[in-house]
Amino acid sequence: DQQVKQNSPSLSVQEGRISILNCDYTNSMFDYFLWYKKYPAEGPTFLISISSIKDKNEDGRFTVFLNKSAKHLSLHIVPSQPGDSAVYFCAASGQGAQKLVFGQGTRLTINP
Amino acid sequence: GAVVSQHPSRVICKSGTSVKIECRSLDFQATTMFWYRQFPKQSLMLMATSNEGSKATYEQGVEKDKFLINHASLTLSTLTVTSAHPEDSSFYICSARDTSGTDTQYFGPGTRLTVL
């Protein structure tokens, strides 16, 4: 039972344009969501998070949007840069629960 | 941001030996740390939750006698793979939960284990 899903295994975007990565979840008890970026043979790097009491959180080029009714969140990167090429994981945790549930990841490639 | 280190970054060992991996939170205290395993081209699989001063909580299907976890201090958790076999070869990643701020998990750089 995949509680957190990233349905796009890969995404290619031209440098300077907007990258939009999507994530869906099924567990309505999730109330904290995070995005991580991962390079091969390295640990994930925390990017940005959002609590369920918000619908948007912005940090520099990264913005996360949360649509609770649709159980959907998205990460917007603008403008996209070559260094953004990596695998992006969304993750969720539930009320009082400590552990994260990860999506399968989306490989983002930024083309020059 | 918060820093988590892992040591060693890469280890090669013979089948039947035990390997210890250390995870340290360098600039914050972590009462809870997590151990993950990642197979090639797959997501992170949570193996266990390590709680300072108490026994670890293992996920279903993870052998607690094979993957020994010790969380003796607020900044250090260790994972020992006992009697390692080639199928234990994988990328092991730890994370530490920073409860002082946003309750975010920060990950270590990972350890590549190869069992010959």
Side-chain angles (χ1 to χ4, degrees), chain B residues 72-106:
Chain B
S73 78
L74 289 172
T75 60
L76 173 64
S77 176
T78 60
L79 168 68
T80 301
V81 183
T82 62
S83 187
H85 289 99
E87 57 264 30
D88 298 325
S89 298
S90 191
F91 191 58
Y92 293 87
I93 311 172
C94 73
S95 71
R97 182 166 169 254
D98 182 3
T99 56
S100 64
T102 59
D103 205 16
T104 297
Q105 282 189 35
Y106 295 94

Side-chain angles (χ1 to χ4, degrees), chain A residues 6-112:
Chain A
Q6 293 175 256
N7 292 316
S8 298
S10 63
L11 175 68
S12 288
V13 175
Q14 196 162 2
E15 182 179 358
R17 306 294 288 267
I18 183 172
S19 296
I20 300 176
L21 299 111
N22 294 302
C23 180
D24 298 293
Y25 61 96
T26 57
N27 190 337
S28 58
M29 296 302 291
F30 288 148
D31 60 0
Y32 189 56
F33 304 89
L34 308 91
W35 284 95
Y36 289 89
K37 174 182 179 181
K38 187 180 183 302
Y39 294 114
E42 293 185 13
T45 301
F46 169 71
L47 282 175
I48 192 168
S49 63
I50 188 167
S51 164
S52 61
I53 62 174
K54 294 185 175 181
D55 54 18
K56 176 183 175 181
N57 189 26
E58 190 172 353
D59 184 2
R61 296 187 298 116
F62 303 94
T63 303
V64 56
F65 295 92
L66 176 63
N67 183 332
K68 289 188 290 294
S69 60
K71 294 191 177 66
H72 176 85
L73 66 153
S74 60
L75 174 68
H76 293 210
I77 306 173
V78 57
S80 299
Q81 299 174 354
D84 295 330
S85 296
V87 176
Y88 289 78
F89 289 96
C90 69
S93 67
Q95 204 166 20
Q98 300 177 18
K99 60 184 182 182
L100 295 176
V101 180
F102 281 86
Q104 309 96 309
T106 297
R107 180 174 300 279
L108 175 65
T109 302
I110 306 301
N111 301 309

Side-chain angles (χ1 to χ4, degrees), chain B residues 18-60:
Chain B
S18 294
V19 175
K20 180 187 282 188
I21 303 170
E22 292 187 350
C23 177
R24 293 181 185 272
S25 57
L26 298 185
D27 51 0
F28 65 100
Q29 293 184 332
T31 55
T32 306
M33 292 184 174
F34 303 86
W35 287 96
Y36 295 82
R37 185 173 177 175
Q38 186 183 27
F39 293 99
K41 297 184 179 180
Q42 293 190 27
S43 186
L44 286 77
M45 183 194 80
L46 179 65
M47 298 175 64
T49 301
S50 170
N51 300 297
E52 188 268 336
S54 64
K55 291 184 178 180
T57 304
Y58 290 82
E59 295 300 302
Q60 192 173 9

